[in-house]
Amino acid sequence: MIHKYKLNGYNICLDVHSGAVHVLDDIAYDILDFCDENMTEQPPEKMMVCLSDKYPKEELEETYAALYELFTEGQLFSADDYEQFSDLMTKAPIKSMCINISHDCNLRCEYCFAAKGDFGQGRCLMPLETAKKAIDFIIANSGTRHNLEVDFFGGEPLMNFDVVKQTVEYARSIEKKYNKNFRFTITTNGLLLDDEKIEYINREMHNVVLSLDGRKEVNDKLRVTPNGKGCYDIIVPKYQKLVASRGDKDYYIRGTFTTFSKDFTADVMHMKELGFEQLSIEPVVSDPKLDYSIKYDDLPAVFKEYERLAKTLIETRRKGEFFNFFHFMIDLDQGPCAIKRLRGCGCGNEYVAVTPQGDIYPCHQFVGEEAYKMGNLNDGTFDTDMKLRFARANVYSKENCKDCWAKFYCSGGCNANNYQYEGDILKSHKVSCELEKKRLECAIMIKAALADMDTDSKSDCDSDDCFAECR
Amino acid sequence: MKTTKHIKTLNNANLKESAVKGGCGECQASCQSACKTSCTVANQKCEK
Ligand code: SF4
Ligand code: SF4
């Protein structure tokens, strides 16, 4: 299977099953319309006839030969022989956990998927005892996995920061004994950040996710305090302080765009102007009936905006400046192994979420869905049948994903969105699929453009018949 | 990167190889959802 498309002046072909990405000239791009899994050394007659008006015969033959060579090298129309691996992956230890340390929040963001912080379950904080049990649970269920990830989430985790600190301390005190290495992440809306918390987060947290929607008027429209005031002026200076003293540890400034802010390139650039480099703005996922939601009809405008953002990113790099957009990050050479790519997000299998009451759910987005409660930390219950059901939710068990060109980069999308909007964890959520595919097209195009920049900067090479592999 | 007259290949296309060698499970979990920027699969690193 291949996926070919034109974007920003590039003709791009992704060979899905090998992962090869080719940038083609027009003739090669057109010839591909006549090729498939059964390529032969002899150029197809139909192609020679149909394209004869457009290109000379010798050019057609020569280009076809080059494509045929890629085919024989397994880099074009390569075979799908991955299904054999999809069953390999079912039994897996739990290695990641989302601890909803606070089901309370000091903001009332309009679009919050957690029902304004309490997941519809009443406002409360997780007691230390429960948090410790969560750490014990992940250690006990992580088998031989060494790296364990714990994300402090909410609600607003800083509202229960003492318990966060004590939980980290507890985990650190026993990790050596069990030969584990904890990596902590915290996601915050920033309101309660102060110097002491900043210092602590920068010392202990492997990653920190800081919520901000971009421009003041955009942020303050939906990210509001209980009395309706925007939070931009309070949080931005705190984020700047945190990032300035973070060194080279990971962080993300993370926003949400809605149908009101489809011009989100301006928000990304605003974040950059504020001095941030690691940026992420993601589409709100919500009931299409809500006025701010991104609906099918919004897609053409959002696609255009992703293109604009991609071009802006390229321009910025050309000027020697830098920002990173999370959803355009892609490693074409050394990404995760194909097995990992097939198994998806791992929710309910490698990843679980726990609530202040000690309830265990497949992930943070299932919290509050009674039918998906997997067990409880306090009574020691855990539904291994449900774990197995989630374990089997991979790219090859999802009807739409199996034959989707994006499957190795998307990994089958979000099970929770599938359930919420399509009624089945195995049915992909259409709007999300379209957005994912567009982002991927942009991400790959950016690679093509950056590769061009690399070549430009190496222009002291004067060979005009270059078959050399230069990097 | 390999460049010929009509085609420039940007990477060394090692997905198949990675399937044979991979599957150790030490890499990060990869929430694909919009609500969490922990990571998505395309931009992850292999731990090996
Ligand atoms: S884009 Fe949609 S269909 Fe394709 S792999 Fe992702 S969830 Fe599946
Ligand atoms: S189901 Fe969705 S929200 Fe939950 S971990 Fe998977 S991708 Fe993330």
Side-chain angles (χ1 to χ4, degrees):
Chain A
M1 190 197 316
I2 61 162
H3 174 64
K4 69 178 195 118
Y5 63 100
K6 287 177 188 268
L7 186 57
N8 195 22
Y10 292 96
N11 301 332
I12 294 173
C13 167
L14 167 71
D15 182 52
V16 174
H17 296 112
S18 69
V21 175
H22 311 290
V23 181
L24 311 167
D25 63 3
D26 288 336
I27 177 167
Y29 190 80
D30 287 345
I31 290 177
L32 275 181
D33 288 336
F34 300 86
C35 303
D36 60 18
E37 277 73 12
N38 306 310
M39 278 182 92
T40 53
E41 198 169 355
Q42 199 58 31
E45 220 163 281
K46 194 167 167 210
M47 179 271 286
M48 294 303 286
V49 175
C50 291
L51 296 179
S52 61
D53 289 351
K54 228 170 151 187
Y55 308 104
K57 183 168 175 272
E58 301 71 48
E59 282 275 298
L60 284 170
E61 284 171 351
E62 176 191 287
T63 315
Y64 181 84
L67 289 168
Y68 182 71
E69 191 182 326
L70 289 176
F71 173 72
T72 56
E73 287 168 350
Q75 295 190 42
L76 199 60
F77 299 107
S78 59
D80 181 356
D81 38 23
Y82 294 97
E83 198 154 359
Q84 48 169 324
F85 297 109
S86 61
D87 273 347
L88 272 186
M89 316 176 301
T90 38
K91 273 217 173 118
I94 298 173
K95 63 178 181 191
S96 306
M97 183 182 256
C98 178
I99 301 187
N100 281 0
I101 205 84
S102 163
H103 273 193
D104 195 357
C105 192
N106 43 10
L107 285 184
R108 297 287 183 275
C109 307
E110 263 316 303
Y111 48 58
C112 180
F113 82 93
K116 315 256 165 26
D118 73 348
F119 291 81
Q121 296 181 325
R123 301 190 174 274
C124 60
L125 304 177
M126 181 180 280
L128 177 60
E129 276 323 300
T130 308
K132 282 184 170 174
K133 282 182 193 159
I135 296 293
D136 293 339
F137 178 87
I138 188 170
I139 291 183
N141 288 281
S142 59
T144 55
R145 292 287 183 271
H146 179 62
N147 294 318
L148 304 182
E149 295 148 39
V150 169
D151 190 3
F152 293 105
F153 203 66
E156 171 49 39
L158 296 191
M159 293 180 80
N160 199 11
F161 199 58
D162 281 338
V163 174
V164 169
K165 289 202 287 196
Q166 287 164 328
T167 309
V168 169
E169 195 184 332
Y170 176 69
R172 291 277 179 246
S173 73
I174 56 174
E175 66 181 350
K176 290 243 156 48
K177 180 166 141 204
Y178 294 99
N179 188 27
K180 304 290 175 190
N181 173 41
F182 276 96
R183 286 176 182 163
F184 295 103
T185 295
I186 193 163
T187 301
T188 176
N189 64 28
L191 278 188
L192 293 177
L193 279 175
D194 57 27
D195 288 355
E196 185 236 313
K197 292 194 184 77
I198 288 174
E199 193 270 324
Y200 181 86
I201 288 171
N202 282 346
R203 193 176 67 234
E204 294 291 341
M205 298 289 158
H206 185 74
N207 199 349
V208 53
V209 180
L210 307 166
S211 304
L212 171 74
D213 283 354
R215 291 162 293 177
K216 180 173 159 74
E217 62 277 18
V218 172
N219 184 81
D220 286 356
K221 185 173 165 78
L222 297 173
R223 299 192 66 80
V224 293
T225 58
N227 59 22
K229 278 181 63 187
C231 65
Y232 179 98
D233 289 333
I234 310 174
I235 61 177
V236 166
K238 297 182 182 195
Y239 290 169
Q240 286 170 320
K241 204 166 194 181
L242 187 150
V243 169
S245 55
R246 187 141 180 91
D248 51 13
K249 276 193 175 161
D250 289 342
Y251 75 91
Y252 272 101
I253 302 290
R254 176 203 180 283
T256 301
F257 69 83
T258 66
T259 193
F260 305 136
S261 53
K262 280 181 292 207
D263 57 343
F264 52 86
T265 300
D267 294 299
V268 172
M269 294 317 283
H270 181 73
M271 291 172 173
K272 178 180 174 291
E273 278 152 29
L274 291 173
F276 305 124
E277 287 188 337
Q278 303 297 336
L279 312 176
S280 165
I281 288 199
E282 322 196 7
V284 69
V285 180
S286 57
D287 188 328
K289 285 195 231 46
L290 297 168
D291 60 349
Y292 53 77
S293 71
I294 300 287
K295 299 170 227 6
Y296 217 84
D297 294 347
D298 292 316
L299 288 178
V302 175
F303 288 177
K304 270 224 169 72
E305 194 62 21
Y306 273 128
E307 289 182 16
R308 180 171 317 154
L309 179 57
K311 289 176 197 167
T312 307
L313 188 145
I314 296 165
E315 272 320 301
T316 307
R317 299 271 171 101
R318 277 207 179 110
K319 284 192 286 189
E321 293 173 25
F322 181 85
F323 73 87
N324 200 9
F325 183 68
F326 182 74
H327 268 147
F328 288 163
M329 283 165 73
I330 185 168
D331 186 337
L332 294 178
D333 275 315
Q334 302 216 303
C337 66
I339 295 182
K340 161 79 181 182
R341 291 166 187 250
L342 296 173
R343 73 202 298 173
C345 66
C347 86
N349 185 33
E350 295 179 294
Y351 172 62
V352 293
V354 296
T355 69
Q357 294 79 10
D359 291 331
I360 307 170
Y361 288 94
C363 84
H364 56 291
Q365 283 234 31
F366 281 100
V367 168
E369 294 286 350
E370 223 18 60
Y372 282 92
K373 196 162 119 181
M374 298 183 86
N376 187 286
L377 295 171
N378 297 310
D379 62 19
T381 49
F382 187 62
D383 184 345
T384 46
D385 286 345
M386 199 186 300
K387 182 174 186 292
L388 198 61
R389 214 162 95 216
F390 275 96
R392 295 205 171 115
N394 62 50
V395 164
Y396 284 92
S397 64
K398 293 179 181 171
E399 214 33 62
N400 299 326
C401 303
K402 214 169 159 165
D403 298 318
C404 169
W405 67 264
K407 61 187 173 188
F408 284 114
Y409 307 89
C410 164
S411 282
C414 169
N415 294 333
N417 289 166
N418 292 354
Y419 169 69
Q420 281 154 357
Y421 304 114
E422 307 285 342
D424 184 341
I425 61 168
L426 300 179
K427 253 198 202 139
S428 34
H429 177 233
K430 293 281 157 356
V431 173
S432 301
C433 291
E434 294 310 317
L435 292 168
E436 171 72 18
K437 289 190 272 191
K438 186 66 195 182
R439 288 191 295 253
L440 266 171
E441 289 190 345
C442 290
I444 295 173
M445 181 278 286
I446 290 172
K447 287 286 176 199
L450 296 182
D452 262 1
M453 270 164 63
D454 275 1
T455 322
D456 289 352
S457 62
K458 290 195 189 86
S459 56
D460 44 350
C461 165
D462 56 10
S463 162
D464 54 8
D465 184 24
C466 176
F467 288 85
E469 292 202 6
C470 38
R471 277 187 78 96
Chain B
M1 196 188 309
K2 187 176 166 195
T3 308
T4 61
K5 191 169 154 201
H6 303 279
I7 305 158
K8 176 154 136 186
T9 300
L10 296 183
N11 56 353
N12 51 29
N14 53 7
L15 259 190
K16 297 216 170 181
E17 214 180 294
S18 80
V20 179
K21 288 195 200 142
C24 74
E26 282 295 346
C27 51
Q28 257 181 296
S30 48
C31 174
Q32 303 292 103
S33 145
C35 62
K36 250 198 179 182
T37 302
S38 357
C39 43
T40 70
V41 77
N43 56 36
Q44 277 193 0
K45 286 188 201 77
C46 171
E47 291 277 341
K48 273 192 179 169

